[in-house]
Amino acid sequence: MKIEVVLITGRTIKQGMGIYTGKDSVLYRQETETIELNAAVLEGLGVEEGDRVLVKTAFGQGVFTCRKGEVPENVAFIPYGLAGNSLIGAGTSGSGMPSYKGITAVVGRYEDG
Amino acid sequence: MAKVVKNVVCTFCGSLCDDLEIHIENDNITAVKKGCALSRTKYLNAREEVVPLVEGKEASFSAALEAAVEILAHARHLLVYGLSSTCSEAQAAAVALAETLGASIDSTSSVCHGPGTLAKQLVGIPTCTLGEVKNRADVLVFWGCNPVEAHPRHFARYSVLAKGLKVGGRRERKVVVADVRKTATARGADLFLQLEPNGDFEVLTALRALINGKDIVGEGAGGLTRAQLEECSRLLKEASYGVFFFGMGLTMSRGTHYNVSQALALVRDLNKYTRYSVIPMRGHGNVAGSENVLAWQTGYPFAVNFSRGYPRYNPGEFTAVDLLRRGDVDAALVVAADPAATFPGRAAAVLGEIPTVVIDPHYSATAKLARVYLPSAAAGIGAAGTVYRMDMVPLPVKKLLNLPYPSDKEILDMLREGVKKCSGSREAGSTTRKMAGTGK
């Protein structure tokens, strides 16, 4: 099963700390390779916290570890970082700013590809 | 020998908390008092064992500097980028270098609050200091930002929890939070507006209508009910002194600078009834300084190009992500920033395809892609200088440690001297350098 969501990337305190422990550090990688989803979405996908999911957008794809979050059912949140940026397009609509928030993504179980 | 340095300015985020106590032993930071989790991590990891690199191989500093000069001097269109985690003296040196080389220069502002700056140019901004917020503000709006995680001491030092002269602590302030997610910041709000993704412009427009005594069509907007919008507009108008803080929820969502323009227009409308100010929640320690320095030296805050010998400004053309995506630049100089970890994958990858020079105290993700890596002494740790808080108040930062490498400013000055010898000066008659007081 796959679920379409609106992807938001943003800061978290662990991501901020991870900037200075190093982008190869366990803290940074664990935090930025995590996706927060609503509990109902996790259930719908048949996954639990700690399971891996495949996230695809029009610009790329990546594997993320699930975390239950206080987000609406149609929203997924990924902390800023190298992993999340692979899903973001480089177009800026003439503003200089890429769409780090509010793009469409499809989330599915990693095993299902 | 052990010592304690008091009243240290933390340069992690735009709050620039200036009351840290840093404990130093044998030129190493051993403890950080009064700081948040972010500042403790920053200062306790301040000393990184790094070496200059050329093509990934260890080199002497002078050899790496020479290799960097070679790249910069032979670039047809250089991008100078970053500048948000260094001091304003280094930012000024970067502008001088960019002008010497006819380069484009852009800061991390273009991928954080740049759209807010565009909106300021369109609408204008009434603003105030964080001291005024602490002492006077009784209604605080946090729109698309999560200071509990991104600016952890903002509430205690300047806003929600601060005890001011006219306004006491939390009980005397109303807090409105607008966000797509119920963040840690939202959980403490008096009124939480849970927006639909990309619904900001619609909600701000509806609020403007209600505040101006107009009706709205339909039963709500942007994920909010009419009742929520009416309650919010009432609360906003009841303020004696309101402050609107905004973050990247506005600048990065669809509409970017139009979202912020509408927020600034809302504040303009509110000023018909009561006093309101706006402060962008700037992320990096001195990203506000990068806009100030570029504006006073070139006339423009970011996305500046010197290829015609005078500064031109065009976000969308001279912004870093656009220059890289389109393949418009053939070399890059990255100073005190890590675009390989913050840019969209496609734009970041270009930094590994073109010759890139990195100046950074840390061996960053961008340094790993770079042709030349020049370690530097971090501003506020290994070098003194000036940084600007999110409310544009300049603060001096101290040198705390003796680090083995020069400061960002010193390296940028050395590079400029090097390229001038290499390629001859293109800066004769430079207007901007005369304005900056550095022209000869």
Side-chain angles (χ1 to χ4, degrees), chain A residues 13 23-24 70 85 92 100, chain B residues 149 187 322 338 341-342 368:
Chain A
I13 198 147
K23 281 155 188 150
D24 288 330
E70 283 192 72
N85 288 339
T92 75
Y100 289 101
Chain B
E149 298 207 53
R187 285 196 280 275
D322 298 282
D338 195 7
T342 53
K368 285 175 191 161

Side-chain angles (χ1 to χ4, degrees), chain A:
Chain A
M1 185 182 179
K2 293 184 171 62
I3 292 179
E4 190 174 291
V5 291
V6 180
L7 177 64
I8 307 277
T9 61
R11 284 208 183 288
T12 67
I13 198 147
K14 284 186 180 173
Q15 171 265 343
M17 292 163 70
I19 291 172
Y20 282 96
T21 55
K23 281 155 188 150
D24 288 330
S25 68
V26 174
L27 175 69
Y28 181 84
R29 290 197 58 180
Q30 273 185 354
E31 184 65 6
T32 58
E33 292 170 16
T34 294
I35 185 167
E36 278 186 15
L37 293 162
N38 185 287
V41 173
L42 293 179
E43 197 180 324
L45 288 169
V47 296
E48 295 179 350
E49 279 196 290
D51 287 349
R52 292 190 300 172
V53 289
L54 184 64
V55 184
K56 292 182 182 177
T57 68
F59 312 104
Q61 64 178 48
V63 180
F64 293 83
T65 304
C66 291
R67 181 162 76 196
K68 192 161 57 180
E70 283 192 72
V71 291
E73 287 187 35
N74 65 334
V75 171
F77 173 76
I78 294 176
Y80 289 140
L82 283 155
N85 288 339
S86 64
L87 306 173
I88 305 299
T92 75
S93 303
S95 71
M97 173 63 85
S99 297
Y100 289 101
K101 297 181 192 285
I103 62 167
T104 303
V106 175
V107 184
R109 280 159 39 111
Y110 176 63
E111 293 76 13
D112 297 342

Side-chain angles (χ1 to χ4, degrees), chain B residues 180-418:
Chain B
V180 171
R181 297 183 299 134
K182 192 169 184 184
T183 60
T185 302
R187 285 196 280 275
D190 296 297
L191 178 63
F192 172 44
L193 307 173
Q194 188 153 22
L195 312 174
E196 279 175 0
N198 297 316
D200 305 77
F201 186 87
E202 197 181 344
V203 172
L204 288 161
T205 307
L207 284 173
R208 284 191 67 199
L210 292 170
I211 279 159
N212 286 306
K214 309 267 171 52
D215 200 6
I216 56 170
V217 177
E219 281 313 301
L224 304 182
T225 63
R226 174 185 286 269
Q228 286 174 304
L229 291 164
E230 285 173 350
E231 184 189 355
C232 182
S233 67
R234 260 196 312 275
L235 198 155
L236 295 179
K237 281 170 89 170
E238 281 168 9
S240 297
Y241 191 117
V243 180
F244 189 105
F245 294 98
F246 70 92
M248 290 182 280
L250 274 187
T251 63
M252 287 181 172
S253 295
R254 190 171 63 215
T256 63
H257 54 293
Y258 290 109
N259 297 333
V260 186
S261 295
Q262 197 66 321
L264 296 181
L266 170 69
V267 170
R268 185 178 60 194
D269 295 344
L270 284 163
N271 270 293
K272 292 178 196 163
Y273 301 96
T274 184
R275 176 81 171 92
Y276 261 88
S277 295
V278 183
I279 298 181
M281 296 290 287
R282 303 307 304 246
H284 289 99
N286 195 27
V287 66
S290 74
E291 288 195 3
N292 279 352
V293 170
L294 259 76
W296 88 56
Q297 296 213 342
T298 74
Y300 307 114
F302 61 99
V304 177
N305 174 271
F306 283 107
S307 62
R308 292 190 185 164
Y310 56 86
R312 289 184 297 154
Y313 171 56
N314 198 7
E317 184 180 9
F318 302 131
T319 27
V321 168
D322 298 282
L323 288 168
L324 292 169
R325 186 193 76 241
R326 288 194 308 260
D328 280 356
V329 285
D330 61 352
L333 169 64
V334 177
V335 186
D338 195 7
T342 53
F343 280 1
R346 188 176 150 207
V350 178
L351 291 165
E353 293 161 12
I354 59 174
T356 295
V357 176
V358 169
I359 303 173
D360 201 299
H362 299 280
Y363 186 52
S364 63
T366 312
K368 285 175 191 161
L369 299 178
R371 202 71 61 87
V372 178
Y373 167 56
L374 292 161
S376 64
I381 294 174
T386 310
V387 291
Y388 283 78
R389 208 165 61 182
M390 62 170 71
D391 56 353
M392 298 299 183
V393 171
L395 295 170
V397 292
K398 301 171 185 174
K399 176 178 173 173
L400 304 173
L401 304 179
N402 294 305
L403 297 177
Y405 298 109
S407 69
D408 297 327
K409 181 197 181 310
E410 288 166 335
I411 296 173
L412 286 160
D413 286 341
M414 287 186 245
L415 289 174
R416 188 161 152 266
E417 285 310 309

Side-chain angles (χ1 to χ4, degrees), chain B residues 127-196:
Chain B
T127 192
C128 66
T129 66
L130 289 169
E132 283 177 85
V133 177
K134 175 182 175 179
N135 288 315
R136 296 175 186 279
D138 60 345
V139 172
L140 300 164
V141 182
F142 293 92
W143 198 293
C145 53
N146 183 13
V148 170
E149 298 207 53
H151 305 81
R153 297 182 72 210
H154 191 279
F155 277 18
R157 280 178 56 83
Y158 309 117
S159 59
V160 176
L161 307 171
K163 288 185 181 166
L165 294 173
K166 305 264 184 193
V167 184
R170 177 66 181 89
R171 274 181 293 182
E172 293 180 36
R173 303 184 200 266
K174 292 285 183 196
V175 178
V176 179
V177 174
D179 208 307
V180 171
R181 297 183 299 134
K182 192 169 184 184
T183 60
T185 302
R187 285 196 280 275
D190 296 297
L191 178 63
F192 172 44
L193 307 173
Q194 188 153 22
L195 312 174
E196 279 175 0

